[in-house]
Amino acid sequence: MANPVSIINPSYCSPHPITLQINTEKGATYNENDDRLFYTDDTFFTLHNRRVLYDDAENPIVTLYNKIVSLHGRCKVFRGESTDSSKLLFWVKEVKESSKIPPGITKLNVFLAKNPDENKSDFRVIIFGSKRSCTVYAGESPNIVAKMENNGGFNVVVNPNVDYAFIVALLMIVNDMDCSDESKNNSRDSAIGIGMITALSI
């Protein structure tokens, strides 16, 4: 991205690509030097349907709050440890039904707090299979802001000038989801799905 995309804090926008490793069992994020950058207070949503993402100095960065047990609804993300509406940063909403989404692909729309009408998504996340990989796009454009490959943990590349704490928060939500893997053995469906995404039809 030419201009910094800051959602949580501009200090998390690097002029260079950032490579991250998310240990999904521990809920911890490391950089390429194996330094811990973030961690969560729990690896899954608590009984209060919330989790907090901290930096390595134990400062609360964001709170992930899910009103319902199933992530088939929406998940709201707030600044710090608050769930007050004034601290809302963004929310994530799954596209449940669409004839344009082929089997084995899950689409999430991401809306920033300044976009309450949800006219157009500010970001979108396309998840392949049972979280084998996913790509984060800017809005409905072809511009990729981050990519993840799941190799027993999330290997993530965040493009320059993109808030990598925001990407980590998104992927913590992805990690909690129950995604279909119906097309993992069907190369034709996968090719169709990739073509549809490239054509921006989902």
Side-chain angles (χ1 to χ4, degrees):
M1 303 293 288
N3 298 315
V5 178
S6 174
I7 308 301
I8 295 176
N9 194 302
S11 66
Y12 296 126
C13 295
S14 168
H16 310 289
I18 296 290
T19 301
L20 304 173
Q21 171 70 33
I22 300 178
N23 185 317
T24 52
E25 292 185 1
K26 294 181 178 179
T29 302
Y30 303 86
N31 64 15
E32 56 189 2
N33 297 319
D34 207 31
D35 300 318
R36 190 176 72 169
L37 301 178
F38 306 106
Y39 69 95
T40 58
D41 53 355
D42 200 343
T43 54
F44 294 98
F45 279 104
T46 66
L47 293 176
H48 298 292
N49 297 329
R50 56 176 291 190
R51 283 194 297 165
V52 179
L53 181 69
Y54 298 88
D55 65 17
D56 198 48
E58 301 184 2
N59 299 307
I61 304 301
V62 293
T63 294
L64 314 177
Y65 178 61
N66 186 29
K67 284 188 175 181
I68 57 177
V69 175
S70 170
L71 276 174
H72 291 293
R74 66 182 64 198
C75 182
K76 294 185 176 182
V77 179
F78 299 83
R79 187 178 302 281
E81 291 182 290
S82 174
T83 55
D84 186 272
S85 59
S86 65
K87 301 294 184 181
L88 179 66
L89 291 172
F90 64 92
W91 66 94
V92 179
K93 185 177 180 181
E94 181 178 355
V95 179
K96 296 182 182 180
E97 297 180 4
S98 173
S99 60
K100 295 182 178 181
I101 301 178
I105 290 179
T106 302
K107 179 185 178 183
L108 307 178
N109 284 333
V110 182
F111 302 97
L112 300 182
K114 63 183 181 182
N115 183 15
D117 295 331
E118 300 185 359
N119 290 328
K120 290 185 178 180
S121 64
D122 296 289
F123 298 88
R124 74 189 196 282
V125 183
I126 304 298
I127 307 167
F128 291 90
S130 185
K131 294 170 281 191
R132 298 193 315 278
S133 65
C134 80
T135 304
V136 183
Y137 295 87
E140 299 299 322
S141 79
N143 297 325
I144 294 173
V145 298
K147 298 188 76 172
M148 178 276 284
E149 296 289 337
N150 188 352
N151 298 311
F154 289 176
N155 297 304
V156 188
V157 177
V158 183
N159 284 356
N161 297 318
V162 175
D163 189 327
Y164 59 87
F166 165 65
I167 298 300
V168 170
L170 279 182
L171 292 178
M172 287 297 181
I173 295 170
V174 169
N175 186 50
D176 282 328
M177 295 189 64
D178 182 15
C179 298
S180 169
D181 205 13
E182 294 178 26
S183 66
K184 68 178 180 180
N185 294 318
N186 190 326
S187 59
R188 179 177 179 274
D189 282 349
S190 296
I192 291 173
I194 293 170
M196 293 173 76
I197 292 165
T198 303
L200 301 180
S201 58
I202 65 170

